[in-house]
Amino acid sequence: MEQVKINEALKSTGITISLKRTQRLMKKLGIKFVIVKKYRPTSSKKKIEAQENVLKRDFNTTTIKEKWVTDITYIHTIKDGWCYLASVMDLYSRKIIGYAMSKSIDTALALQAVKNAIKLQKPTKPLILHSDLGCQYTSSAFKEYIESTKLIKHSFSGKGCPYDNACIESFHASLKKEKVHLVKYFDYDAARLAIFEYIEA
């Protein structure tokens, strides 16, 4: 299937060769495809209620600890199946200031990433934390913690609007392209080490 796509791409540039020759040349040149295992989230019948979008796609900042964005992405391993990474980015530096990994995609994971960011950054002035409408971020436990900080104003993306959280979405896409999709991780520990090296380096 992928050889057909390459063959068609060559034809579109004016290079007309047979499919068999395309296959032979790919084999000779060692060209292989990165096969990405697709994540299929379990469906939820819970109705998603709209929440206030304070950020409103204004990703500009004047200093650090003013606007943070957070999200969860998924990483596949051979032994442990799907593992999950929650990240928090400061929109001023565009750096990951807090993250956490787990074999479970739950509120505890989302909370740990935010707690790690707060522990590292030690904010003393009000800031915005923006997330999507995932159940991890709309849970009562997450809401209670955010309110307990007395500093953080929680902002939410609109339903089905990934562009509302484009910066952290872009980071996770780069992580997948530059690291995750290039190898197959044996287990959770191997994936966690690779992610640690990518973020910290």
Side-chain angles (χ1 to χ4, degrees):
M1 183 65 182
E2 300 298 345
Q3 289 87 348
V4 173
K5 290 181 181 179
I6 291 291
N7 189 251
E8 291 175 349
L10 288 171
K11 287 179 180 178
S12 69
T13 61
I15 302 172
T16 304
I17 60 174
S18 68
L19 178 58
K20 287 187 177 180
R21 188 178 179 193
T22 301
Q23 293 171 334
R24 287 198 302 271
L25 288 172
M26 288 177 64
K27 186 176 181 181
K28 185 177 180 180
L29 295 171
I31 298 174
K32 296 181 180 180
F33 290 93
V34 177
I35 299 174
V36 179
K37 188 174 180 66
K38 292 184 178 179
Y39 175 71
R40 292 180 172 82
T42 55
S43 60
S44 174
K45 295 181 180 179
K46 182 181 178 182
K47 184 178 179 180
I48 299 175
E49 296 182 3
Q51 302 285 344
E52 184 181 6
N53 186 339
V54 182
L55 193 62
K56 296 179 180 178
R57 298 190 191 180
D58 180 7
F59 306 127
N60 296 312
T61 63
T62 56
T63 183
I64 60 171
K65 294 182 272 190
E66 182 182 340
K67 297 175 183 178
W68 292 355
V69 289
T70 185
D71 194 19
I72 297 174
T73 193
Y74 44 87
I75 298 157
H76 191 262
T77 67
I78 297 170
K79 179 184 175 184
D80 297 318
W82 291 107
C83 300
Y84 306 92
L85 167 70
S87 309
V88 181
M89 172 188 285
D90 188 304
L91 286 179
Y92 183 80
S93 64
R94 298 299 172 99
K95 291 182 178 180
I96 299 302
I97 54 172
Y99 62 96
M101 278 191 70
S102 174
K103 295 179 184 178
S104 301
I105 181 168
D106 53 19
T107 300
L109 171 65
L111 269 174
Q112 192 58 56
V114 174
K115 288 179 178 179
N116 288 343
I118 290 174
K119 182 178 180 181
L120 179 66
Q121 297 295 304
K122 297 180 175 60
T124 57
K125 296 180 180 180
L127 63 87
I128 296 171
L129 174 70
H130 188 85
S131 74
D132 61 23
L133 289 166
C135 60
Q136 300 82 11
Y137 299 111
T138 57
S139 67
S140 57
F142 196 90
K143 181 180 179 181
E144 288 171 7
Y145 175 76
I146 293 302
E147 290 177 349
S148 73
T149 66
K150 302 187 185 303
L151 289 172
I152 300 175
K153 175 67 175 177
H154 198 170
S155 172
F156 295 88
S157 297
K159 182 181 178 181
C161 295
Y163 294 113
D164 286 352
N165 210 5
C167 297
I168 194 70
E169 294 268 5
S170 178
F171 167 76
H172 283 157
S174 296
L175 168 66
K176 299 281 187 69
K177 182 179 179 181
E178 297 172 10
K179 192 76 174 178
V180 176
H181 290 164
L182 299 181
V183 297
K184 289 184 178 179
Y185 300 114
F186 176 69
D187 58 10
Y188 169 77
D189 289 333
R192 183 175 61 175
L193 177 60
I195 298 305
F196 170 82
E197 291 174 344
Y198 182 87
I199 293 176
E200 296 296 337

